[in-house]
């Protein structure tokens, strides 16, 4: 059953909330009402914070301070964030869940007025190293990190090996003659002598019998398909699509069974070459290393090779690796053929227990990452002591929908990975924009569902923030690679999540059997880069994997003014994030963006200083009759100019990559945090000046 709605309904309901917030803030509501058709007339103002980890969070903290001081923040209708920009954006949303906190200069939690810092800012500064263990090598926190990763890695590897082991043990139970064949070729006595066949060709027949049976079924369906073509009533588009899909499933099964039949024969030859048990298991590791190295080489350095050849070589390497892993498992199980039934039962028991009592997201590193972020950023004031901060980890995303102050409506941007989609457009882009917001969650590919229903006690603000910043993920939008997906899944480097598909609310056996009970199947899909928008669960990762400025959703809402703060790492000033969103806006919505004076953001080669912190641009929204509605883009870029405070230039003298230090650095000390915050504050003031706003 589908509960999904389209974007038009999402936008209409958002405008109702914005109308209420404007009224609560003392802004006279429009008597004609807020409707999507009148979006440009409403003068919607959107604020966008880019990705960039803790670098973006500290820089945009300064931007927030400047915009609040100039009374611009209280006039923003939307706050759109992605990845690191979501750290500080989610922190603001969590703090504003307290009725005594808002975005006006009087009650702004991050107020910067030259006096003693507020506790909210002190906490952020103290958690600049939010991922780092507290203390040295022998400290408890260090071992917590090690224990968490190793434990979850073992669960993941055990699951993958259990799946392979179950398959191997099942072969031995169903076709024990295969064991005798292998042992006989080694010159050993058969262990199941009562079941031996007499001729070698019979062994070969046994190996490929399942594949031949399924292959024969496929041939039969082909004949049926040809016969049905003469029946007009049956020969419909729906029938053709369904029947060909069914045939594809059968043919794929036949192929898998054929490969499975080849494995025992390969084992015989491998067994002749491998005399040492350890060497048998060193082969998969060697093949893995070569495959990953080859994919890296073929993906970047060998640019002259045809794309098809590069992909083919990488695929061959990964197929060889999988074959070697299977052979390694079979090698072990074969040696214990006389207790194959026991091994099968134990491995099957492991899979059943894991499926019943755990969750695919809980055996990854997602929750570790989420909890670290939540501890640093998702807080609110203590009701008893207003100068103290307490955790707001239980704050659900839907609770932010109806705040009674003019707090910007928060859009958390993530990426839904669709590498296996049947839609060529989605498959070519490899992903789609997936929104997590107080009212609705979803994407164009999946539809949208109300957050209050969708979250199901899972989609808290902390979870949404962590998913939006899940940069280390096997599937990562445009940059997805089959080889890297396989390796990252195998090593359990998975910060993204599998979330419910908004278009479905599946529930079997009275609600007990849910898609999450089948999580080993989704682990295999993640392993082989097979994700799409049709399954019960969809794979979500960092929103920066599809668009890293968080501007796209504001452009869809036809905001009159967009303030975009770009704090991504861009040492060469290629403006890759800006170029990407301009391109997607033109392709998807026909929106044209033209920038003014953007060259003034590029530093001089000698002084390494830029002329400006921020520039303006023009947004042209198509009306459908050949004319355009015009909006304004205020684009902030982390740049040093000649009028910045002395301490920023001093920091630059000892950190030559500042303010574009690598996003891999998520361990900010006091000096680093303060340098980016101050630069953000200066940049926010420059943006206010472009808007013609003077400080209060």
């Amino acid at each position: 059953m589908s509960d999904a709605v389209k974007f038009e309904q999402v936008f209409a309901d958002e405008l109702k909330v914005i109308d209420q917030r404007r009224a609560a803030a003392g802004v006279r509501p429009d008597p004609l009402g807020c409707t999507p058709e009148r979006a440009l007339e409403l003068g919607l103002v959107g604020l966008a914070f880019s990705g960039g980890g803790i670098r973006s969070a500290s820089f945009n903290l300064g931007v927030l301070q400047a915009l609040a001081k100039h009374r611009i923040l209280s006039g923003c209708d939307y706050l759109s964030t992605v990845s690191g920009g979501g750290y500080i954006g989610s922190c603001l949303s969590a703090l504003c869940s307290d009725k005594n906190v808002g975005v006006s200069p009087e009650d702004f939690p991050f107020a910067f007025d030259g006096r003693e810092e507020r506790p909210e800012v002190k906490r952020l500064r103290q958690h600049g190293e939010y991922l780092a263990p507290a203390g040295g090598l022998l400290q408890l926190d260090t071992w917590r990190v090690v224990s968490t990763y190793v434990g979850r890695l073992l669960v993941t590897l055990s699951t993958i090996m259990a799946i392979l082991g179950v398959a191997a043990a099942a072969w031995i139970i169903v076709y024990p003659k295969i064991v005798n064949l292998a042992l006989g070729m080694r010159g050993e006595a058969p262990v199941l002598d009562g079941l031996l066949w007499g001729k070698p060709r019979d062994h070969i027949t046994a190996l490929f019998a399942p594949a031949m049976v399924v292959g024969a079924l496929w041939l039969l369906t082909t004949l049926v398909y040809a016969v049905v073509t003469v029946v007009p009533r049956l020969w419909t588009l729906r029938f053709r699509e369904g029947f060909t899909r069914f045939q594809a499933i059968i043919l794929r099964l036949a192929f898998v069974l054929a490969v499975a039949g080849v494995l025992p024969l390969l084992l015989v030859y491998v067994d002749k070459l491998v005399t040492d048990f350890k060497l048998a298991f060193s082969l998969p590791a060697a093949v893995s290393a070569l495959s990953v190295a080859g994919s890296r080489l073929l993906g970047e350095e060998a640019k002259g090779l045809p794309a098809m050849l590069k992909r083919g070589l990488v695929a061959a390497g990964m197929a060889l690796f999988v074959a070697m892993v299977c052979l390694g498992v079979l090698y072990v199980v074969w040696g214990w053929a006389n207790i194959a039934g026991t091994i099968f039962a134990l491995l099957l028991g492991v899979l059943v227990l894991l499926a019943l009592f755990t969750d695919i997201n809980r055996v990854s590193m997602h929750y570790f990452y989420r909890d670290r972020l939540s501890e640093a950023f998702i807080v609110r004031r203590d009701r008893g002591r207003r100068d103290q901060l307490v955790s707001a980890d239980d704050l659900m995303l839907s609770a932010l929908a109806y705040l009674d102050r003019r707090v910007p409506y928060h859009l958390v941007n993530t990426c839904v990975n669709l590498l296996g989609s049947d839609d060529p457009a989605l498959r070519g882009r490899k992903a789609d924009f997936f929104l997590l917001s107080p009212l609705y969650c979803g994407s164009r590919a999946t539809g949208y569902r109300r957050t209050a229903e969708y979250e199901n006690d899972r989609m808290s603000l902390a979870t949404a923030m962590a998913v939006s910043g899940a940069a280390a993920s096997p599937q990562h939008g445009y940059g997805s690679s089959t080889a890297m997906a396989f390796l990252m899944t195998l090593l359990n480097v998975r910060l993204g999540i599998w979330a419910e598909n908004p278009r479905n609310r599946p529930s079997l056996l009275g609600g007990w059997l849910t898609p999450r009970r089948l999580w080993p199947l989704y682990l295999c899909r993640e392993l082989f880069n097979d994700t799409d928008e049709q399954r019960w669960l969809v794979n979500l990762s960092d929103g920066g994997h599809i668009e890293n400025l968080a501007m796209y959703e504001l452009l869809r809402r036809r905001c009159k003014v967009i303030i975009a703060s770009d704090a991504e790492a861009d040492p060469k000033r290629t403006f890759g994030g800006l170029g990407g969103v301009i391109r997607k806006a033109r392709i998807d919505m026909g929106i044209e963006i033209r920038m003014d004076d953007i060259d003034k953001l590029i530093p001089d080669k000698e002084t390494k200083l830029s002329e400006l912190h921020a520039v303006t641009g023009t947004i042209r929204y198509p009306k459908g009759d050949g004319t355009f509605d015009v909006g304004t883009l205020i684009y902030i870029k982390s740049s040093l100019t000649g009028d910045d405070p002395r301490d920023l230039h001093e920091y630059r003298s000892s950190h030559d990559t500042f303010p574009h230090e690598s996003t891999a650095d998520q361990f900010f000390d006091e000096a680093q945090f303060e340098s980016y915050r101050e630069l953000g504050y200066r940049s926010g003031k420059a943006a206010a000046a472009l808007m013609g706003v003077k400080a209060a």
Side-chain angles (χ1 to χ4, degrees):
M1 180 179 70
S2 178
D3 296 321
V5 301
K6 295 184 178 181
F7 172 75
E8 290 73 19
Q9 182 64 53
V10 173
F11 188 28
D13 288 347
E14 288 176 358
L15 290 178
K16 293 177 182 178
V17 173
I18 289 173
D19 189 51
Q20 294 171 7
R21 288 176 171 169
R22 288 183 170 186
V27 180
R28 176 178 291 183
D30 193 318
L32 298 179
C34 294
T35 63
E37 294 77 16
R38 302 181 60 245
L40 265 295
E41 298 178 39
L42 298 172
L44 296 174
V45 180
L47 175 62
F49 286 162
S50 77
I54 190 65
R55 181 190 61 250
S56 176
S58 53
F59 178 86
N60 285 313
L61 169 61
V63 173
L64 280 174
Q65 290 174 326
L67 296 181
K69 187 173 183 178
H70 290 74
R71 298 188 179 275
I72 295 174
L73 186 58
S74 57
C76 292
D77 298 295
Y78 284 104
L79 172 61
S80 181
T81 65
V82 63
S83 196
Y87 300 174
I88 190 63
S90 298
C91 183
L92 178 64
S93 291
L95 288 167
C96 288
S97 64
D98 185 337
K99 65 180 181 180
N100 296 308
V101 179
V103 295
S104 61
E106 297 77 21
D107 56 7
F108 186 56
F110 304 134
F112 179 71
D113 51 15
R115 296 178 293 180
E116 183 180 3
E117 281 188 330
R118 301 214 174 171
E120 293 85 354
V121 180
K122 287 183 178 180
R123 182 181 182 89
L124 293 176
R125 193 185 303 279
Q126 293 166 0
H127 285 79
E129 299 183 6
Y130 68 97
L131 286 179
L137 182 61
L138 299 180
Q139 294 296 317
L140 180 61
D141 195 48
T142 302
W143 287 97
R144 283 179 58 204
V145 175
V146 175
S147 176
T148 299
Y149 175 72
V150 173
R152 296 178 186 182
L153 174 64
L154 289 177
V155 171
T156 302
L157 290 177
S158 299
T159 304
I160 295 173
M161 297 307 293
I163 294 172
L164 295 174
V166 166
W171 263 108
I172 293 174
I173 293 174
V174 176
Y175 290 102
K177 310 154 199 72
I178 299 173
V179 180
N180 295 314
L181 172 64
L183 296 178
M185 294 185 70
R186 292 171 58 180
E188 301 179 13
V191 294
L192 302 171
D193 51 7
L195 299 173
L196 260 179
W197 290 359
K199 299 178 180 179
R201 71 173 71 116
D202 294 331
H203 296 293
I204 304 299
T205 303
L207 290 175
F208 292 99
M212 289 187 291
V213 171
V214 177
L217 177 61
W218 180 83
L219 291 173
L220 179 62
T221 60
T222 303
L223 179 62
V224 172
Y225 187 79
V227 172
V228 170
T229 59
V230 300
V231 184
R233 287 186 177 182
L234 293 178
W235 194 246
T236 63
L237 178 61
R238 184 175 181 180
F239 172 82
R240 292 195 299 272
E241 290 181 345
F243 202 97
T244 53
R245 185 182 295 272
F246 175 67
Q247 281 192 300
I249 294 173
I250 295 176
L251 188 60
R252 183 167 60 180
L253 178 60
F255 175 77
V256 170
L257 292 174
V259 172
V262 171
L263 289 179
L265 297 178
L266 292 177
L267 179 65
V268 173
Y269 294 100
V270 171
D271 189 57
K272 290 184 177 187
L273 300 174
V274 180
T275 57
D276 185 45
F277 176 80
K278 296 180 180 179
L279 181 59
F281 274 88
S282 69
L283 287 175
V287 174
S288 177
L290 291 173
S291 178
V292 174
S295 68
R296 178 75 176 177
L297 176 65
L298 295 172
E300 296 183 4
E301 279 75 13
K303 296 182 179 179
L305 293 176
M308 185 67 71
L309 178 60
K310 291 189 287 185
R311 295 192 187 100
L313 291 173
V314 172
M318 297 310 302
L320 181 59
F321 173 77
V322 174
M324 294 304 301
V325 171
C326 292
L327 289 174
V329 174
L330 286 171
Y331 192 87
V332 175
V333 178
W334 235 288
W336 295 340
N338 57 333
I339 56 171
T342 303
I343 295 174
F344 177 84
L346 289 173
L347 292 174
L348 186 61
V350 169
L351 284 177
V352 172
L353 286 174
L354 289 175
L356 290 177
F357 297 107
T358 190
D359 184 299
I360 190 170
N361 299 326
R362 295 176 182 175
V363 298
S364 71
M365 292 301 292
H366 164 75
Y367 272 94
F368 169 79
Y369 175 63
R370 175 205 178 277
D371 293 345
R372 291 280 171 152
L373 282 175
S374 179
E375 181 184 359
F377 297 100
I378 307 300
V379 294
R380 57 179 165 226
R381 292 177 180 175
D382 191 340
R383 296 179 180 178
R385 299 181 60 184
R386 309 304 301 176
D387 59 337
Q388 298 293 319
L389 299 174
V390 296
S391 173
D393 186 74
D394 59 346
L395 181 62
M396 304 307 292
L397 190 59
S398 59
L400 304 177
Y402 300 103
L403 300 179
D404 59 359
R405 294 156 320 285
R406 197 173 182 188
V407 177
Y409 183 86
H410 196 172
L411 306 175
V412 182
N413 296 271
T414 70
C415 169
V416 55
N417 294 287
L418 306 172
L419 286 90
S421 175
D422 291 334
D423 188 332
L426 295 174
R427 188 171 62 247
R429 188 172 280 183
K430 301 182 181 180
D432 194 19
F433 301 87
F434 197 96
L435 177 69
L436 301 174
S437 73
L439 286 179
Y440 289 93
C441 296
S443 67
R444 287 179 299 183
T446 62
Y448 299 82
R449 197 195 310 170
R450 282 198 170 273
T451 303
E453 302 172 357
Y454 181 74
E455 61 193 6
N456 193 26
D457 296 326
R458 293 175 181 270
M459 194 53 68
S460 63
L461 177 61
T463 298
M465 172 186 63
V467 175
S468 180
S473 178
Q475 283 75 41
H476 43 275
Y478 272 128
S480 296
S481 160
T482 301
M484 289 304 299
F486 189 93
L487 184 65
M488 292 179 72
T489 305
L490 200 65
L491 297 178
N492 205 27
V493 184
R494 301 186 298 117
L495 298 184
I497 66 170
W498 285 90
E500 288 186 3
N501 192 331
R503 69 171 58 179
N504 300 313
R505 298 184 66 183
S507 180
L508 303 175
L509 299 181
W512 180 82
L513 182 58
T514 67
R516 297 181 187 278
R517 303 292 188 191
L518 306 174
W519 71 269
L521 300 179
Y522 288 94
L523 183 66
C524 292
R525 291 192 174 279
E526 196 164 8
L527 195 68
F528 295 104
N529 242 11
D530 185 20
T531 55
D532 59 44
E533 74 281 15
Q534 303 293 337
R535 310 293 173 181
W536 286 348
L537 301 180
V538 291
N539 186 267
L540 305 183
S541 65
D542 194 317
H545 292 158
I546 188 168
E547 196 262 303
N548 202 40
L549 288 192
M551 281 177 52
Y552 188 91
E553 293 293 343
L554 299 179
L555 292 168
R556 287 183 72 186
R557 288 156 175 80
R558 302 175 77 86
C559 288
K560 184 72 172 180
V561 178
I562 296 177
I563 306 168
S565 178
D566 184 357
E568 63 179 4
D570 188 16
K572 297 182 179 180
R573 304 302 194 281
T574 61
F575 304 97
L578 179 62
V581 72
I582 290 176
R583 189 179 308 112
K584 291 182 178 69
R586 183 189 304 122
I587 294 172
D588 296 348
M589 298 173 283
I591 298 173
E592 294 285 348
I593 300 176
R594 300 176 181 177
M595 301 302 301
D596 304 323
D597 299 323
I598 196 167
D599 291 344
K600 295 182 179 180
L601 297 175
I602 302 175
D604 182 82
K605 293 183 179 180
E606 296 183 1
T607 64
K608 298 183 179 180
L609 298 176
S610 304
E611 293 185 44
L612 300 172
H613 289 295
V615 297
T616 61
T618 302
I619 308 171
R620 291 161 54 91
Y621 295 103
K623 296 174 64 175
D625 58 358
T627 62
F628 295 87
D629 287 318
V630 179
T632 301
L633 172 62
I634 308 296
Y635 178 65
I636 302 170
K637 186 71 170 178
S638 51
S639 307
L640 280 173
T641 63
D643 59 352
D644 295 315
R646 178 60 193 170
D647 63 298
L648 294 185
H649 293 279
E650 183 275 331
Y651 185 84
R652 171 67 179 273
S653 66
S654 56
H655 301 79
D656 57 359
T657 56
F658 175 79
H660 292 278
E661 294 167 292
S662 172
T663 307
D665 181 9
Q666 294 295 294
F667 310 97
F668 274 29
D669 57 22
E670 181 180 82
Q672 195 172 11
F673 184 96
E674 174 59 17
S675 297
Y676 278 99
R677 187 212 62 79
E678 178 64 19
L679 181 60
Y681 182 74
R682 298 282 170 173
S683 301
K685 289 178 63 177
L690 287 176
M691 299 175 70
V693 180
K694 297 181 179 179

